[in-house]
Structures are given as structure tokens and as C-alpha cells.
Amino acid sequence: MRLGVLTSGGDCSGLNAAIRAVARQTAARGGELIGFEDAWRGVLERAWVPVTVEYCRGLLPRGGTVLGTSRITPYQEEGDLDLARAVRDELDLDGFVVIGGNGSLACAARLTTDGIPCIGIPKTIDNDIGLTEHSIGFDTAVHVAAAAIDRLHTTAEAHDRVLVVEVMGRHAGHVAVRAGLAGGATLTLVPERPFVLDDVIAAIERRHRAGRYATVVAVAEGALPAAGTWEIPEPEIDRFGHARLGGVGAALGAEIERRTGYETRVTVLGYVQRGGTPTAFDRVLATRLGLAAVDAAYDGAWGSMMALQADRIVRVSLAEATEAQATVPEELLDAAAAFFP
Ligand code: F6P
């Protein structure tokens, strides 16, 4: 079998570990693997490299993706889909292993329907892909954010300050909730539960009255105030139609300081959460998903996504997995809220 592999959408830690596992299993099953540069750009521009076991030496702990990534898909320009089919035929590929987030995997489902067979591997620090309990990169991001919150506590205490830390999480607050719980954030604000600014202010003031002058507020970039309670600036839209988030932390910090008079500082963790060495959990997950993806291709299970459910790797439908955003379960949201002052 000849397979193509690509990493698509925003990067995260663990992508190289997944590429390595796909290469290893393809070789073990007697197949050949071709890696496309910068996702579908590499297909459309015929930029590819043979991905052998040798090519993958040393990749397991490396952050980023050796193949590069982009948000380009064969649906953006007229004729791209035909070009992608032509490239597949030229290279005699049986199909593609797409390592992607929600958008890239929804695209892989559509491509499968349009005659370009794909298998999906879920990756995103946001962990918002359906039917899998974890996506590659999420655990690493939580570790980075929790470690940052630990550090912010000590400086907040030294200065008696409020520290707002904005973490990634576009539609779901998985990173904020887990890092907030692990790091002992005072308040955690997420897209799943729109917040009321007055309640946030009141909670911080209660805490001060009780003699706790340092407060850490963890806020997901996609957190929103409840309708009609407070307006924050609309985000810019990038050329792929994605809102460029980031800004709620700064707006919140300014408002907390203005209304309480307490010194407030804001830290935006941003891309630190997506870079660097993956945790052991992410390396193992990426390896298991990568091996399973190749087996699925050999079984002809095109249109499926490899998923983690109850610590087993299972095959689910790409279309179903990408239909709904996987939000934070109520029990975890309640756990984070249990520590509100
Ligand atoms: O989807 C993952 C994510 O990290 C989001 O949390 C964030 O909003 C987005 O990617 C930013 O992506 P980029 O700036 O690379 O387009």
C-alpha cells in the first residue's frame, strides 16, 4: 500500500511522534509512505518527501512537525480538488493519513466522500474533537499552562496582585479547566459557561476582604461574558475565516483593576502551549493513534478517525467526530467552580 501523510491546521506537541508511528507501521506492513509539506499545500504543489523509518529517527520527543502545516485545503480554489486527485493518481496513493484538528478532519471526511480516501488522527491542544477523550497535544498544553499558573501564584503573592492568565481554547475550555484545577486558579472562565463580570469582581473582592490579596484568574481565549452583561471587542477574522482570538484576558484585567482598584497584570500564554517537547502521555497517545491509523488503512476503513475511549484506541466516523464540538463535561466545570471564593 502507498499512503500519504500530512499534518494540517494549528500545530501542537506530539505531531512528530504520530508521523513516526505512521512511518513505522507502514514499513512494518510492507507499504510506502509519502509526507506532504505544509498539509494540502504539499499535495497541490507536489512538494513531498519519502517518509521512511530512517527519516523519523529522533522525532519522538520533538515539538512542531517536520512536515510543516497550514490551513490550506483542496476546497479553497477552483480546480484544487481535481489537482489533488491527479497528484494522488500520479503517486499511486491508496489514501491519506490526515493528522488534524476539527477543521482539517471535517475536510478529510468531505474528501473521503469526494473520492480522496482519508483516515484521521485527532490533534489539537483545544481537545474539542468529538468521540475521543484526548487529542494529541492537549496533555502537553495542560502541563505548560498548569506550570505557568504555579509560577504566577508566587509572583501574585509577592505583590498582592490579581493575575489574569489567558490560555488557548477557542470553543471549549478544556485547557483552562484542567490547568486551572491543577494549578489552583481562583477563578476559571470558559466558553461553556458565559461569565458575569459583576460576579467575577464580587468574588475577587470577597477574597480580598478575607485577607487573600493574591488572585489568579484563568481565562480561556474563547470565554465570553453572558449576553448583555459586558461587551468585549469583536475579534479579527483571518483569511481562512477563523476568528483571531486573544484579547479577553487583557479586557478582563483592565476592567478588574478599574473596578476594584487592585493591581492587576495579564499574561497571555499563547503559542507556548503549542510548542516544545510533548509529555509522555502525548507521545504514547500519538504513537498508538499512528499505528492504528495504518492498520485502519490496510483494513480499508477509510473515513474513520482513530480515537481514545476508555484507554482503548477505537475507530469512529470522521464525519460524526467532527459534527459537534466536544465541550468540557459538566462535572469538570463544577469541579473548577467549586473553588470560586
Ligand atoms: O485550535 C487550536 C488553537 O491553538 C486555538 O486555541 C487558537 O485559537 C488557534 O489554534 C490559533 O491558531 P493560529 O493562530 O495558528 O491560526
Side-chain angles (χ1 to χ4, degrees):
M1 190 168 257
R2 268 166 78 80
L3 295 172
V5 64
L6 48 90
T7 47
S8 175
D11 78 326
C12 62
S13 298
L15 296 176
N16 284 324
I19 295 168
R20 169 181 174 268
V22 171
R24 172 69 63 163
Q25 192 70 342
T26 307
R29 299 207 56 162
E32 262 182 87
L33 186 65
I34 285 165
F36 291 92
E37 293 171 12
D38 301 338
W40 293 99
R41 183 190 73 74
V43 178
L44 301 175
E45 296 180 10
R46 295 177 168 79
W48 56 269
V49 283
V51 179
T52 59
V53 170
E54 198 50 47
Y55 174 90
C56 296
R57 293 244 182 271
L59 281 194
L60 180 61
R62 255 169 73 183
T65 159
V66 272
L67 292 176
T69 184
S70 74
R71 296 198 191 276
I72 291 168
T73 76
Y75 292 106
Q76 270 142 10
E77 304 283 339
E78 183 92 28
D80 278 355
L81 190 58
D82 291 335
L83 181 56
R85 284 199 193 101
V87 172
R88 178 206 54 193
D89 294 344
E90 261 167 51
L91 293 173
D92 194 23
L93 294 180
D94 293 282
F96 292 85
V97 175
V98 177
I99 307 170
N102 252 316
S104 305
L105 295 180
C107 170
R110 188 170 162 201
L111 284 166
T112 305
T113 309
D114 286 340
I116 299 187
C118 296
I119 302 279
I121 295 181
K123 67 87 212 163
T124 166
I125 71 163
D126 288 0
N127 203 35
D128 58 357
I129 300 168
L131 306 183
T132 185
E133 285 153 16
H134 279 263
S135 52
I136 298 169
F138 170 58
D139 186 66
T140 306
V142 170
H143 277 249
V144 169
I149 293 174
D150 282 346
R151 287 169 189 276
L152 292 172
H153 271 299
T154 63
T155 173
E157 280 156 15
H159 286 271
D160 291 341
R161 280 175 174 161
V162 178
L163 278 177
V164 176
V165 53
E166 183 184 295
V167 301
M168 282 186 171
R170 174 165 284 269
H171 304 288
H174 292 279
V175 174
V177 164
R178 292 202 187 238
L181 278 168
T186 312
L187 293 152
T188 302
L189 309 177
V190 292
E192 287 84 347
R193 290 193 180 165
F195 64 91
V196 175
L197 183 62
D198 287 346
D199 296 347
V200 171
I201 304 277
I204 297 172
E205 285 177 336
R206 270 198 302 280
R207 191 172 157 84
H208 268 237
R209 280 198 299 275
R212 306 291 311 276
Y213 303 120
T215 295
V216 175
V217 181
V219 56
E221 62 181 351
L224 282 173
T229 58
W230 182 44
E231 293 299 317
I232 53 171
E234 285 290 315
E236 277 174 48
I237 305 295
D238 72 13
R239 68 192 177 97
F240 299 104
H242 289 221
R244 189 164 288 158
L245 298 179
V248 64
L252 190 65
E255 206 54 21
I256 291 171
E257 184 164 276
R258 190 182 72 76
R259 291 194 33 193
T260 62
Y262 308 148
E263 238 191 323
T264 304
R265 296 287 190 270
V266 178
T267 300
V268 179
L269 287 188
Y271 297 89
V272 171
Q273 299 158 95
R274 287 196 350 203
T277 307
T279 57
F281 181 92
D282 271 333
R283 296 181 204 189
V284 173
L285 176 65
T287 301
R288 294 171 74 191
L289 293 172
L291 297 174
V294 175
D295 288 341
Y298 272 82
D299 289 346
W302 303 109
S304 64
M305 181 187 89
M306 305 305 104
L308 185 74
Q309 293 182 357
D311 204 27
R312 297 174 88 101
I313 303 295
V314 296
R315 294 175 191 169
V316 299
S317 142
L318 263 173
E320 284 172 26
T322 52
E323 238 158 46
Q325 306 280 344
T327 51
V328 179
E330 290 295 312
E331 174 268 325
L332 267 172
L333 293 171
D334 288 344
F339 295 88
F340 274 35

